[in-house]
Amino acid sequence: MSSRSPLVALTLKEFMRRQQVLLLYRKILQAIREVPNENDRKYLQNWAREEFKRNKSATEEDVIRMMITQGNLQLKELEKTLNLAKA
């Protein structure tokens, strides 16, 4: 038996927002793969997964937009830190 929820028809706006969230999640995990220290990498992977799981049930458009913006800022900060560490 699958643990997934039954499929629910999404509006176009919800579908597009979901795609934005999934893209952000993938980008964050890709950036985390670049972290050289294994313990730090695992910590960040767990942090990212837990943050996305914790906010999975958010439905308010403004809240979701704000979380996407915050996630993009955190991604940029992680990428900047990784680039500095490589230099």
Side-chain angles (χ1 to χ4, degrees):
M1 179 179 262
S2 178
S3 63
R4 289 186 165 206
S5 304
L7 292 178
V8 177
L10 300 175
T11 66
L12 179 60
K13 186 185 249 183
E14 291 168 335
F15 176 79
M16 297 299 288
R17 190 69 65 209
R18 183 175 189 277
Q19 295 307 306
Q20 278 184 299
V21 170
L22 291 173
L23 180 62
L24 175 60
Y25 183 65
R26 285 193 294 271
K27 283 181 177 179
I28 288 172
L29 290 181
Q30 285 173 347
I32 289 171
R33 282 189 214 114
E34 300 296 317
V35 173
N37 182 288
E38 185 179 350
N39 289 331
D40 291 344
R41 193 169 50 247
K42 285 183 179 186
Y43 171 81
L44 289 170
Q45 286 170 336
N46 288 333
W47 168 80
R49 283 189 189 108
E50 290 306 313
E51 282 297 303
F52 277 83
K53 276 183 191 175
R54 189 168 59 86
N55 294 301
K56 181 177 163 179
S57 61
T59 56
E60 278 190 53
E61 183 69 23
D62 290 341
V63 172
I64 295 170
R65 261 199 324 265
M66 188 261 320
M67 287 189 286
I68 290 171
T69 301
Q70 189 67 32
N72 279 313
L73 290 172
Q74 290 173 331
L75 174 60
K76 281 187 176 81
E77 200 61 37
L78 175 60
E79 290 171 337
K80 195 185 310 179
T81 302
L82 289 169
N83 285 334
L84 285 174
K86 288 178 186 175

